[in-house]
Amino acid sequence: MADEDLESIGRHCQFEYCGQLDFLPFRCESCRSTFCLDHRSETAHRCARAGEWARRRNGTSQQENRSAPEKPTIYNSDQCGHVACKTLINTLKDPGVRCPNCNRQYCLKHRLREEHDCAKLTPLGARQGSNVTANDTIKSMFARVRTWGKDKQAAGANLIPKPKPKPNSPAARAASVNTMKRTAKGDAGVPADKRVYLHVVGTADTQAAEPPAGDFYYDSRWKVGRVLDDAARRLRVENMNNRSGGEEARLRIFHVDTGEFLEFSDAIGGKVKSGDTIVLLRGAGVVLEKS
């Protein structure tokens, strides 16, 4: 079947960072656009007219019943800051309680520090000295990445008796990429000639915990934002980029080999090459804004 016939069957996802061809696309009844499975919800594709389909279904408009209190929804109220809780707070039924330590709001059930593991969370908000805390967190992440690299080289030297090529030589890099290809995980639908193999290091909620890590491959045509979403899902790192919030909770990708933060809209293949290491960092945007 010709490529034109395939495209006539399916639809491309209209999310700006995706564009994937989906043969069973989903239509958003609020903005009337078409999306793939991953971006079908209004939250996932950041719908500009979120909640409009619900208002049409109820036969109401934005101008009607302004004096009557709105029913609490995820669009007009806040959600409990606990990861596993979906309670809507700051409503008449469920008031929100702000924790003075982590600076997040919780429902009555999770208001106590012990209930939401306050000691393991990084405080939100622009407090005095927050820039120093963010800098220390990033420096600690980089230190753990460097330590991981040294330990890996030492372990390889003990297992292989013959002399190893220099780390920066093409032969050493090719050997490292070949080893990575045998264990790397990724989307099986990515063509072999379009794959870029990366070592990905996640982020940790505390500086004492070892961050998750793994070898993965991605389509070189994917945007950095899509790579970040996939890496966070595979490493089980909490991703709050699609939620409302500041840069304190936002994840960004740091390219260790060049020392640069990658922009979400850039194609990953134009910024990295197979064998490179990227790190997911939370709160790095605060440092970038103040630097």
Side-chain angles (χ1 to χ4, degrees):
M1 184 178 291
D3 294 342
E4 291 79 8
D5 295 334
L6 289 176
E7 293 184 356
S8 66
I9 296 175
R11 291 292 184 272
H12 288 276
C13 177
Q14 293 182 268
F15 186 60
E16 57 180 344
Y17 299 136
C18 184
Q20 178 177 341
L21 178 63
D22 198 322
F23 296 103
L24 292 174
F26 296 84
R27 184 188 184 192
C28 176
E29 295 300 325
S30 292
C31 63
R32 305 292 185 179
S33 298
T34 304
F35 302 95
C36 64
L37 177 64
D38 293 336
H39 301 112
R40 68 186 187 278
S41 66
E42 293 181 351
T43 303
H45 66 259
R46 305 173 187 173
C47 186
R49 307 176 69 177
E52 185 171 317
W53 69 272
R55 291 189 290 270
R56 290 200 304 267
R57 184 185 61 183
N58 295 333
T60 60
S61 63
Q62 296 180 353
Q63 289 76 22
E64 294 177 347
N65 299 327
R66 288 187 176 181
S67 59
E70 291 184 89
K71 182 179 180 180
T73 66
I74 59 175
Y75 306 109
N76 59 22
S77 59
D78 300 321
Q79 188 172 333
C80 176
H82 193 276
V83 177
C85 183
K86 297 183 179 180
T87 303
L88 299 178
I89 58 176
N90 293 328
T91 64
L92 296 177
K93 182 180 179 181
D94 295 298
V97 180
R98 182 177 295 277
C99 176
N101 283 0
C102 63
N103 206 26
R104 292 174 171 84
Q105 294 192 62
Y106 299 93
C107 64
L108 296 178
K109 179 181 179 181
H110 298 112
R111 70 186 186 280
L112 300 179
R113 300 177 184 176
E114 296 78 8
E115 295 295 333
H116 60 261
D117 294 331
C118 188
K120 298 181 180 180
L121 299 177
T122 302
L124 295 178
R127 290 185 175 183
Q128 184 69 25
S130 61
N131 189 25
V132 177
T133 303
N135 274 311
D136 293 342
T137 302
I138 295 175
K139 290 179 181 178
S140 176
M141 285 292 302
F142 293 162
R144 286 200 293 271
V145 172
R146 288 194 294 268
T147 302
W148 170 86
K150 293 180 180 178
D151 293 342
K152 188 174 182 180
Q153 291 179 2
N158 294 331
L159 294 175
I160 304 175
K162 61 183 179 180
K164 296 179 64 178
K166 295 182 180 180
N168 295 328
S169 66
R173 186 174 188 88
S176 176
V177 173
N178 289 334
T179 302
M180 188 179 296
K181 288 181 178 180
R182 290 194 292 267
T183 59
K185 300 179 181 179
D187 188 348
V190 177
D193 60 333
K194 298 295 183 181
R195 294 180 181 180
V196 56
Y197 293 84
L198 301 173
H199 180 73
V200 185
V201 181
T203 185
D205 291 333
T206 62
Q207 297 185 14
E210 283 297 326
D215 294 333
F216 306 102
Y217 63 82
Y218 303 100
D219 194 318
S220 59
R221 299 165 295 182
W222 284 8
K223 301 297 184 182
V224 172
R226 184 175 179 182
V227 172
L228 186 147
D229 292 339
D230 185 86
R233 176 177 60 84
R234 294 183 183 275
L235 295 178
R236 298 183 179 180
V237 175
E238 184 183 8
N239 185 2
M240 297 183 289
N241 286 13
N242 291 332
R243 301 184 186 177
S244 59
E247 287 289 344
E248 302 88 355
R250 194 175 180 86
L251 284 175
R252 288 183 178 272
I253 289 184
F254 179 78
H255 188 201
V256 175
D257 299 81
T258 61
E260 298 178 347
F261 285 94
L262 305 184
E263 295 294 334
F264 297 122
S265 58
D266 291 340
I268 191 68
K271 295 296 181 179
V272 302
K273 55 183 178 295
S274 292
D276 288 356
T277 299
I278 59 174
V279 183
L280 307 184
L281 291 180
R282 193 186 309 281
V286 177
V287 181
L288 296 176
E289 289 179 352
K290 295 183 178 180
S291 60

